[in-house]
Amino acid sequence: MVPADLQLALAAHKQFLEGRPNGQRLSMRGAMLTGTDLERQRLSMAMLAGADLSRSRMTRSFLDGADLFGANLTGVDLTEATLIGADLRGANLAKARMQGANLERADLRAGQLVTWVSTRQISRSQSADLAGADLRNAKFSSTDLSFANLTNANLRGADFQNATLFAANLNGADLSGANFGRARLKGALLNNCKVEGADFRSADLRQAKLEGANFEGANLGGADLRGVDMSKVNVKGASLNGTLFDPS
């Protein structure tokens, strides 16, 4: 059920997107929208920074270019939604359902969140949190996920081509069949990941932590694995043509 005031704001936002008179860009920064049904809504360019959209239904919604900086999206259903170029810095997407979602060129870097305690301003950095999220077949090509938390996420078949995952935490994630071609994973954590059939061709994995990861059947052709402790990695059966390692 969508509250009446939100329905009016959505109607005005639709007019804004269509360039019609009396259109107004949706601005609900910090709004409490927990559990709201926003399925198939046109929310591109909406300003929702810091909004609480936890457990909301946003299946097949359009959020391209939306400002979701620091938003609470825990448990949200974004199945097949589009968030192309969206600002998701510092957003909480823990246990979100995002199967088939399109996050190409989205910004999921850590965000600098500012709060006030009495008259004192407190600033803290918060990484985007996608722990335990269902991201099967999601599209992350050219997306910046530096320092993001993807622990135990389901990333089967996801597309991370040209993505930046500098120092991202993917411990325990399921990366089976995912495409990390030319992705930048320097310093990333991939301990105990499932990577069967994943494609890491020409990926930058320098200084990554891969303890307990099984790369059997994965493609590491041309990948840069310098600085990786290969004694703790199973690459038996993996394609290693042109892969860079430290001298043994």
Side-chain angles (χ1 to χ4, degrees):
M1 188 69 182
V2 180
D5 57 341
L6 179 55
Q7 287 181 348
L8 291 174
L10 289 169
H13 186 68
K14 181 181 178 182
Q15 291 179 311
F16 162 77
L17 292 175
E18 294 173 350
R20 293 164 55 193
N22 302 316
Q24 186 171 355
R25 186 178 181 182
L26 181 69
S27 179
M28 301 193 76
R29 294 187 177 94
M32 296 296 294
L33 299 168
T34 304
T36 304
D37 187 351
L38 293 167
E39 183 177 8
R40 297 179 183 271
Q41 289 292 340
R42 295 177 61 187
L43 295 164
S44 298
M45 307 301 295
M47 295 182 287
L48 294 161
D52 188 348
L53 288 152
S54 56
R55 301 188 303 281
S56 292
R57 181 177 175 82
M58 304 176 79
T59 307
R60 299 184 182 86
S61 289
F62 298 90
L63 290 144
D64 300 336
D67 180 3
L68 289 156
F69 178 92
N72 182 5
L73 297 160
T74 55
V76 71
D77 189 348
L78 283 160
T79 302
E80 296 184 8
T82 65
L83 297 102
I84 299 170
D87 186 350
L88 288 156
R89 288 174 296 162
N92 189 344
L93 286 149
K95 297 185 178 180
R97 295 179 295 283
M98 302 176 72
Q99 186 175 358
N102 190 342
L103 293 98
E104 294 177 1
R105 303 187 305 281
D107 191 346
L108 286 118
R109 293 174 296 165
Q112 200 71 22
L113 305 183
V114 178
T115 55
W116 289 86
V117 178
S118 298
T119 58
R120 186 162 60 98
Q121 179 177 299
I122 298 175
S123 180
R124 61 187 177 88
S125 180
Q126 178 173 301
S127 299
D129 191 349
L130 295 96
D134 183 352
L135 296 156
R136 286 173 291 168
N137 301 310
K139 297 177 181 178
F140 289 96
S141 59
S142 301
T143 295
D144 196 334
L145 290 134
S146 298
F147 300 100
N149 180 10
L150 290 147
T151 55
N152 301 314
N154 188 342
L155 298 163
R156 294 178 68 92
D159 183 2
F160 287 93
Q161 291 187 82
N162 296 305
T164 299
L165 294 116
F166 176 76
N169 188 346
L170 295 99
N171 285 340
D174 188 347
L175 312 178
S176 304
N179 189 345
F180 288 90
R182 298 179 301 281
R184 293 167 288 280
L185 291 141
K186 185 178 180 181
L189 304 177
L190 292 94
N191 297 315
N192 301 309
C193 281
K194 297 178 181 177
V195 291
E196 291 84 358
D199 189 344
F200 288 89
R201 281 179 291 179
S202 300
D204 182 357
L205 287 154
R206 287 175 295 165
Q207 300 166 26
K209 304 297 182 184
L210 308 175
E211 185 174 349
N214 183 2
F215 281 83
E216 188 168 356
N219 192 336
L220 288 159
D224 192 341
L225 288 159
R226 289 174 293 179
V228 175
D229 184 356
M230 298 304 298
S231 67
K232 299 179 179 179
V233 186
N234 179 14
V235 292
K236 184 178 180 180
S239 177
L240 301 171
N241 185 35
T243 303
L244 296 174
F245 300 99
D246 285 329
S248 55

